[in-house]
Amino acid sequence: MAVLEVECPICGEFLELTDEDRAQLELGDVIVCDSCNAEMEVTKNEGDDFDLELLGILTTCPNCGEEFDVTEETLGEGDIVQCPHCKAYIQLEFEE
Protein backbone atom coordinates (compact mmCIF):
# COMPACT_ATOMS: atom_id res chain seq x y z
CA MET A 1 0.00 0.00 0.00
CA ALA A 2 1.48 3.34 -1.08
CA VAL A 3 1.59 6.23 1.38
CA LEU A 4 1.58 9.82 0.18
CA GLU A 5 3.31 12.31 2.49
CA VAL A 6 1.96 15.85 2.33
CA GLU A 7 3.78 18.64 4.17
CA CYS A 8 1.65 21.02 6.23
CA PRO A 9 2.34 24.57 4.99
CA ILE A 10 1.98 25.97 8.51
CA CYS A 11 4.04 23.73 10.80
CA GLY A 12 5.98 21.56 8.33
CA GLU A 13 4.74 18.25 9.78
CA PHE A 14 4.01 15.50 7.27
CA LEU A 15 0.50 14.12 6.88
CA GLU A 16 0.45 10.50 5.72
CA LEU A 17 -2.36 9.50 3.36
CA THR A 18 -2.77 5.89 2.25
CA ASP A 19 -4.38 4.89 -1.04
CA GLU A 20 -7.47 3.99 1.00
CA ASP A 21 -7.51 7.45 2.62
CA ARG A 22 -7.21 9.14 -0.78
CA ALA A 23 -9.99 6.98 -2.27
CA GLN A 24 -12.37 8.41 0.34
CA LEU A 25 -11.39 12.03 -0.30
CA GLU A 26 -13.39 14.19 -2.69
CA LEU A 27 -12.63 17.65 -4.04
CA GLY A 28 -13.61 20.21 -1.43
CA ASP A 29 -13.04 17.89 1.53
CA VAL A 30 -11.04 19.39 4.38
CA ILE A 31 -8.04 17.75 6.04
CA VAL A 32 -6.88 18.97 9.46
CA CYS A 33 -3.22 18.79 10.51
CA ASP A 34 -2.81 16.79 13.73
CA SER A 35 0.04 19.03 14.87
CA CYS A 36 -1.21 22.59 14.38
CA ASN A 37 -4.90 22.13 13.42
CA ALA A 38 -4.44 23.91 10.10
CA GLU A 39 -7.33 23.28 7.73
CA MET A 40 -6.53 22.37 4.11
CA GLU A 41 -8.99 21.80 1.27
CA VAL A 42 -8.45 19.00 -1.26
CA THR A 43 -8.17 20.71 -4.66
CA LYS A 44 -6.78 17.83 -6.74
CA ASN A 45 -6.98 14.06 -6.21
CA GLU A 46 -6.42 12.22 -9.48
CA GLY A 47 -3.88 9.40 -9.74
CA ASP A 48 -0.48 10.79 -8.81
CA ASP A 49 -1.81 14.36 -8.76
CA PHE A 50 -2.78 15.45 -5.26
CA ASP A 51 -2.95 19.01 -4.00
CA LEU A 52 -4.24 20.89 -0.98
CA GLU A 53 -4.99 24.57 -0.46
CA LEU A 54 -4.50 26.06 2.98
CA LEU A 55 -7.74 27.48 4.35
CA GLY A 56 -6.13 28.76 7.55
CA ILE A 57 -5.65 28.14 11.22
CA LEU A 58 -7.44 30.05 13.94
CA THR A 59 -5.11 31.44 16.59
CA THR A 60 -5.37 33.88 19.49
CA CYS A 61 -2.98 36.78 19.87
CA PRO A 62 -1.21 36.55 23.25
CA ASN A 63 -0.80 40.35 23.23
CA CYS A 64 -4.38 41.55 22.70
CA GLY A 65 -6.41 38.33 23.05
CA GLU A 66 -8.13 38.69 19.66
CA GLU A 67 -8.57 35.68 17.35
CA PHE A 68 -7.45 35.71 13.72
CA ASP A 69 -6.75 33.28 10.86
CA VAL A 70 -3.19 32.45 9.90
CA THR A 71 -2.87 31.78 6.17
CA GLU A 72 0.08 31.23 3.82
CA GLU A 73 -0.08 34.93 2.95
CA THR A 74 0.18 36.06 6.60
CA LEU A 75 2.81 33.53 7.66
CA GLY A 76 6.28 35.06 7.75
CA GLU A 77 9.68 33.42 7.93
CA GLY A 78 10.38 31.31 10.99
CA ASP A 79 6.70 30.76 11.82
CA ILE A 80 6.14 34.42 12.71
CA VAL A 81 2.81 36.17 12.07
CA GLN A 82 1.61 39.67 12.69
CA CYS A 83 -1.65 40.18 14.55
CA PRO A 84 -4.03 42.16 12.31
CA HIS A 85 -5.59 43.76 15.41
CA CYS A 86 -2.67 45.08 17.51
CA LYS A 87 0.15 44.55 14.94
CA ALA A 88 2.26 42.53 17.41
CA TYR A 89 4.61 39.92 15.94
CA ILE A 90 3.91 36.42 17.25
CA GLN A 91 6.08 33.30 17.12
CA LEU A 92 3.77 30.34 16.48
CA GLU A 93 4.31 27.25 18.61
CA PHE A 94 3.12 23.80 17.62
CA GLU A 95 2.52 20.63 19.61
CA GLU A 96 4.92 17.73 19.07
Side-chain angles (χ1 to χ4, degrees):
M1 175 178 352
V3 175
L4 174 67
E5 288 187 340
V6 179
E7 185 176 5
C8 175
I10 296 292
C11 69
E13 290 293 317
F14 285 94
L15 309 166
E16 294 184 349
L17 300 173
T18 65
D19 290 338
E20 185 177 307
D21 293 334
R22 287 189 56 198
Q24 295 175 6
L25 290 174
E26 296 181 11
L27 296 182
D29 284 351
V30 175
I31 295 175
V32 179
C33 176
D34 292 333
S35 179
C36 69
N37 294 320
E39 295 182 344
M40 297 161 279
E41 179 182 0
V42 176
T43 57
K44 195 179 288 185
N45 189 13
E46 302 167 0
D48 290 339
D49 281 341
F50 185 82
D51 199 20
L52 297 170
E53 180 179 318
L54 177 65
L55 296 176
I57 179 172
L58 187 64
T59 192
T60 302
C61 176
N63 189 53
C64 69
E66 294 290 327
E67 290 184 336
F68 64 96
D69 277 322
V70 175
T71 64
E72 284 184 289
E73 291 81 30
T74 61
L75 185 62
E77 290 186 35
D79 301 329
I80 296 176
V81 295
Q82 185 176 26
C83 175
H85 305 285
C86 71
K87 306 303 181 200
Y89 287 94
I90 303 159
Q91 174 75 43
L92 298 176
E93 296 177 12
F94 304 108
E95 297 175 6
E96 292 295 320

